[in-house]
Amino acid sequence: MNIFRRKFLINPDFQLPFVIRMIIINLLTIGTLYVAMYIIFYRFNFLGNELGFESTHEYYKFIEEQFILVTTVFVAIAISLSFILGVYSFFLSHRIAGPLENLKIRFKRLETEKPKDCKTQFRKDDFFHDLASAYNKHIEKTKDEDSSNESDSN
């Protein structure tokens, strides 16, 4: 069996938007947290003003340095998590799209082949194993009905 046979984008119309949406949700979450952090630093500056610190005071330099550090960490986290979530959501979408693509192929085969030749089985890590069982039971029932119809016509 060829290990390079795997098709990475089984259903690009589903998988690509799925991955993009997951990354967007991640970036929106991190962006919301960044806005909250920005408000906290704004309040630190406001506190310095209320305490009467001059604009050249070391307190403001410290706040600015910390803000730059935290912003750098946020950007690094956003990039890292977006990459990790993108890869994970790609594999997750593969586990969703694979079984559906499998069934689509089987239904197309039913147009030209007998039902007994169109049974399906999903990969171990795929979702919707109950769907494969239901499909196979339907194929069995259809096969039984076809064989009883053939015997009735003879």
Side-chain angles (χ1 to χ4, degrees):
M1 183 168 157
N2 186 357
I3 62 171
F4 298 107
R5 186 180 73 93
R6 176 173 254 183
K7 185 177 176 184
F8 286 107
L9 283 176
I10 295 171
N11 185 341
D13 293 337
F14 163 71
Q15 287 180 277
L16 292 177
F18 181 81
V19 170
I20 290 168
R21 285 181 183 124
M22 296 298 278
I23 292 171
I24 288 171
I25 290 169
N26 176 57
L27 292 175
L28 288 174
T29 303
I30 290 174
T32 302
L33 293 172
Y34 184 80
V35 168
M37 186 267 320
Y38 182 84
I39 291 170
I40 292 169
F41 275 93
Y42 180 80
R43 292 194 64 209
F44 286 154
N45 279 323
F46 184 75
L47 178 64
N49 286 336
E50 284 196 351
L51 292 173
F53 295 154
E54 294 183 23
S55 62
T56 58
H57 194 275
E58 286 294 315
Y59 173 80
Y60 292 114
K61 289 179 187 173
F62 176 75
I63 295 298
E64 184 180 357
E65 289 171 1
Q66 296 309 304
F67 182 75
I68 291 170
L69 176 66
V70 170
T71 299
T72 304
V73 168
F74 261 85
V75 169
I77 288 172
I79 292 170
S80 300
L81 285 180
S82 292
F83 176 76
I84 291 168
L85 190 61
V87 170
Y88 175 74
S89 62
F90 170 75
F91 284 107
L92 184 64
S93 72
H94 205 273
R95 292 174 59 194
I96 295 169
L100 299 177
E101 187 69 20
N102 183 322
L103 281 179
K104 184 172 87 175
I105 290 168
R106 298 295 185 252
F107 278 119
K108 285 182 179 179
R109 282 178 58 192
L110 278 174
E111 294 172 1
T112 59
E113 296 179 23
K114 294 179 181 178
K116 68 177 182 171
D117 300 328
C118 293
K119 283 191 166 186
T120 190
Q121 181 178 348
F122 295 162
R123 296 169 298 198
K124 181 180 78 167
D125 291 333
D126 281 343
F127 292 115
F128 312 121
H129 284 273
D130 55 335
L131 187 59
S133 298
Y135 171 82
N136 288 334
K137 285 178 186 175
H138 177 73
I139 291 297
E140 281 295 320
K141 185 177 177 188
T142 305
K143 183 175 75 170
D144 292 343
E145 288 174 1
D146 285 347
S147 63
S148 69
N149 287 342
E150 286 176 12
S151 64
D152 289 344
S153 64
N154 290 334

